[in-house]
Amino acid sequence: MKHYPIQLFDAASSTFTYLLVDPASRAAVLIDPVDHHVERDLAHLRRLDLQLTYVLETHAHADHVTSAGELCQRTGAISAVPSGCGIAPALVQLIDGDVIRFGLGETVQVLHTPGHTAGSMCYLWRGNLFTGDTLLIDGCGRTDFQGGSAASLYDSVITKLFTLPDATMVWPAHDYKGQSVSTIGWERQHNARLARRSQADFVTLMGQLDLPRPRLMDIAVPANRNLGLPHGV
Ligand code: FE
């Protein structure tokens, strides 16, 4: 049976949160939860009678604050984060190639995909790829802070993501144009920034974006490095 995640949205930051469910055991995993949606997310867990086992982050976000710490405190779930993101309080520091196991035989594969930030990771579960800000629908995350590198992002996408099967579902961390899901095959053919573009062209393109600094960056990044918990906890 094909499994899809439950996709939740934060309109303030255009952030997607994903709920992965193993129907056999009612075990669940959350990816990239947002602070002011804690009660919504807990209500989904109660409604569906789920036991939250892991909370994952794709990177230390600059545009919103995570609720990972609070969710783990309230549910007993385990926080698991990319080891290169400076999120010290997390119980599990993931590295490339790790496999997270939950429920009755469910596996989440961990892919280190540096570029948007140096530590950014993608997660693969049952043909569903959670791409964070590494690969967006018809776009990609910016590469101009937090150890970002356009050359690295290009390599990550071309060698680690575009080599996955065409039918792999692409679930991004954000969308600003009203879309919600894509596929690897479609993005490899049509992604406006990455399809049929050389690495040199991509680096030039990203260098010319001249994007404004994220409004919440000075609050969000330190908060997210503490799993969204007040410092000192
Ligand atoms: Fe980001």
Side-chain angles (χ1 to χ4, degrees):
M1 188 177 80
K2 182 74 179 164
H3 284 235
Y4 296 103
I6 295 168
Q7 186 181 49
L8 304 163
F9 189 60
D10 172 52
S13 63
S14 298
T15 298
F16 291 119
T17 295
Y18 296 98
L19 180 59
L20 286 50
V21 176
D22 172 27
S25 67
R26 315 217 69 78
V29 170
L30 268 169
I31 300 176
D32 287 340
V34 174
D35 56 356
H36 49 266
H37 293 303
V38 171
E39 299 305 332
R40 175 199 70 184
D41 296 347
L42 289 169
H44 278 293
L45 295 171
R46 282 193 300 272
R47 174 177 71 86
L48 298 167
D49 191 24
L50 301 175
Q51 177 70 46
L52 187 63
T53 57
Y54 282 95
V55 179
L56 309 182
E57 297 286 331
T58 54
H59 60 296
H61 307 276
D63 58 349
H64 67 272
V65 175
T66 180
S67 61
E70 183 176 351
L71 282 167
C72 288
Q73 286 183 344
R74 292 176 66 175
T75 65
I78 295 167
S79 51
V81 303
S83 56
C85 287
I87 309 173
L91 287 180
V92 178
Q93 299 287 332
L94 298 165
I95 60 169
D96 187 56
D98 275 351
V99 177
I100 298 160
R101 299 177 192 283
F102 72 101
L104 294 174
E106 296 298 311
T107 58
V108 179
Q109 293 172 42
V110 174
L111 292 81
H112 181 213
T113 52
H116 171 60
T117 73
S120 288
M121 285 180 165
C122 298
Y123 300 114
L124 183 62
W125 170 70
R126 287 184 174 268
N128 298 287
L129 182 67
F130 303 93
T131 54
D133 291 355
T134 301
L135 178 65
L136 304 179
I137 299 170
D138 200 29
C140 64
R142 62 194 295 174
T143 55
D144 56 339
F145 54 64
Q146 290 180 274
S149 159
S152 295
L153 189 139
Y154 184 92
D155 283 342
S156 293
V157 172
I158 299 299
T159 65
K160 286 194 164 168
L161 304 188
F162 281 180
T163 50
L164 293 168
D166 279 4
T168 306
M169 307 292 282
V170 171
W171 302 96
H174 301 287
D175 192 87
Y176 306 98
K177 300 175 192 166
Q179 297 191 80
S180 59
V181 66
S182 184
T183 65
I184 284 294
W186 180 269
E187 295 305 320
R188 191 194 298 114
Q189 286 293 316
H190 301 291
N191 187 288
R193 288 193 182 159
L194 287 148
R196 290 184 291 277
R197 193 184 289 275
S198 72
Q199 186 180 51
D201 282 355
F202 178 74
V203 170
T204 301
L205 173 77
M206 295 303 284
Q208 292 169 343
L209 289 182
D210 197 25
L211 297 166
R213 194 177 157 78
R215 190 172 52 84
L216 287 179
M217 183 160 177
D218 293 335
I219 296 167
V221 173
N224 287 327
R225 289 196 169 133
N226 205 43
L227 288 174
L229 294 168
H231 280 269
V233 172

